[in-house]
Amino acid sequence: MRTSKRVHRPSGVRAGRTTRSVRGLVLACAAASAVLAGCSMEEASCGGGEYPVMTIGGTGSACVPNGEEPPEGYTRYPEGKVPEHVGDEWDTYWQTHTVDKDGKVVEVPAGG
């Protein structure tokens, strides 16, 4: 009578399934992270603890620490027209408009 010792070896098919499962889990986690972080992908006009200001008579801007006044040559944006994120409605608007020395909103001349 012949007896043989059987050795259990995982088949290549089973190992392949495990690899695919791990890969799938990693991809699913990456996709979920991207979706959840989507709302924070917009670049803020200024960092925390700062507010945006604009140049008087031009289209430049800067950020000033909360509680401080704008530096010389800068002014606060008019109330309700403050850009919050790069490319938002007001950020785009202020690329073609400015505030003059009298505080009046005016269109910037072409090329200016």
Side-chain angles (χ1 to χ4, degrees):
M1 174 158 132
R2 276 179 67 152
T3 61
S4 66
K5 292 186 180 180
R6 293 186 183 188
V7 177
H8 176 71
R9 292 188 180 125
S11 71
V13 173
R14 189 173 194 180
R17 286 183 193 157
T18 303
T19 302
R20 283 193 303 248
S21 295
V22 171
R23 244 187 250 151
L25 180 60
V26 168
L27 290 173
C29 289
S33 295
V35 169
L36 292 174
C39 61
S40 64
M41 297 301 281
E42 292 179 315
E43 185 179 346
S45 296
C46 290
E50 298 178 318
Y51 68 94
V53 294
M54 63 187 301
T55 55
I56 297 171
T59 59
S61 63
C63 296
V64 176
N66 290 340
E68 290 187 19
E69 289 299 313
E72 188 174 335
Y74 287 84
T75 188
R76 294 176 188 264
Y77 285 93
E79 190 173 333
K81 298 181 178 182
V82 180
E84 294 183 19
H85 296 95
V86 174
D88 71 11
E89 173 188 7
W90 292 115
D91 182 57
T92 303
Y93 176 83
W94 292 114
Q95 291 175 18
T96 57
H97 294 77
T98 190
V99 174
D100 67 14
K101 62 181 173 44
D102 299 319
K104 181 179 173 187
V105 175
V106 295
E107 196 166 337
V108 177

